[in-house]
Structure formats: structure tokens, C-alpha cells
Amino acid sequence: MSVEVGSKVIGKVTGIKNFGAFVELPGGKTGLVHISEVADQYVEDINEHLSVGQEIEVKVLSVGDDGKISLSIKKAKEQKPKPKPRKESSPEDFEKKLSSFLKDSEDRLSTIKRQTESRRGGRGKK
């Protein structure tokens, strides 16, 4: 069985080092899960997350020209977020939002203009 980039497979942890874990994949190939790809949070001790002989689901990140296989546990768990349903808005809703925005914008501009004019003149005169 060939290992394809992007595929999710079940593998068995065969060895643990301080930089990651070696995982045997179907077909006898072995890949590496780097410590940064073990969990979403910072992993100080990989032994707290994995143990030799444990079966885990991994995602194949890359297969190098030299045959090295890069794996990820956290990306295997990721799911695509479901798109939020869009609320149908009527032209009246849009008009209200636009009107409110324009009013706020005009108010802000007049405030800035007033502040700027008060700074320019009147200093030093009594």
C-alpha cells in the first residue's frame, strides 16, 4: 500500500524520542510525528500523550524524495468548520444599516473637524 499525502491512516507507535514519535503505517512503512504535531497545545513531554504500542490516527503531511514520511496527529483530528448559514437580509435591513453607518460617520467627522479647528486657533490669545 502506497502512502498518499493528505490521507488519514491508523498506525501503531513503535518508538518515542524527545523530538517525536515513530509510527508504523499499513504496508510496513514508518513515519515520524514531530512533537509539534502531537497536540494543539504545547507538548513538553511526549510520553504524556503517546505510548509505544498505541494505535493512533495520523494524517500524512509529506513524503520526501528520500522516503521520509511526515505525519500529524492534530491535523488528523481537525475537521473543516461548517459554514454558518447566511441570514437572508432584505433591502430594508441594508438601508437601515447603511443609514446608521452614514450617520455615525458624519458624527465622527464633525467631532474631528471641531477638535481640529479648536486646536488651530485661539492659543495664546486672551
Side-chain angles (χ1 to χ4, degrees):
M1 175 184 167
S2 66
V3 179
E4 293 183 26
V5 174
S7 63
K8 293 182 183 179
V9 294
I10 302 292
K12 184 182 276 190
V13 178
T14 57
I16 296 178
K17 299 289 181 187
N18 59 356
F19 55 84
F22 292 98
V23 178
E24 184 179 341
L25 304 173
K29 294 190 177 189
T30 300
L32 174 70
V33 178
H34 188 267
I35 192 167
S36 64
E37 293 294 330
V38 171
D40 289 328
Q41 70 274 9
Y42 176 74
V43 176
E44 188 170 337
D45 183 10
I46 195 167
N47 292 298
E48 293 176 2
H49 295 270
L50 298 172
S51 58
V52 175
Q54 179 180 357
E55 288 197 353
I56 55 172
E57 182 180 31
V58 293
K59 182 173 184 176
V60 180
L61 298 180
S62 66
V63 179
D65 294 334
D66 54 0
K68 290 184 179 178
I69 302 170
S70 179
L71 306 170
S72 174
I73 296 171
K74 69 180 184 182
K75 288 193 172 86
K77 293 178 183 175
E78 285 180 0
Q79 296 178 354
K80 290 184 180 179
K82 294 180 181 177
K84 294 180 181 177
R86 288 183 55 179
K87 177 185 169 191
E88 292 295 322
S89 61
S90 65
E92 293 83 25
D93 290 342
F94 176 74
E95 292 294 329
K96 286 179 186 175
K97 288 179 182 177
L98 181 60
S99 173
S100 175
F101 171 79
L102 289 174
K103 183 181 179 306
D104 289 346
S105 180
E106 287 171 1
D107 290 346
R108 288 180 186 172
L109 284 173
S110 65
T111 302
I112 291 170
K113 188 175 182 181
R114 226 179 338 194
Q115 289 173 345
T116 304
E117 287 174 357
S118 69
R119 289 183 188 155
R120 287 186 186 159
R123 289 193 182 173
K125 294 183 181 178
K126 289 189 178 182

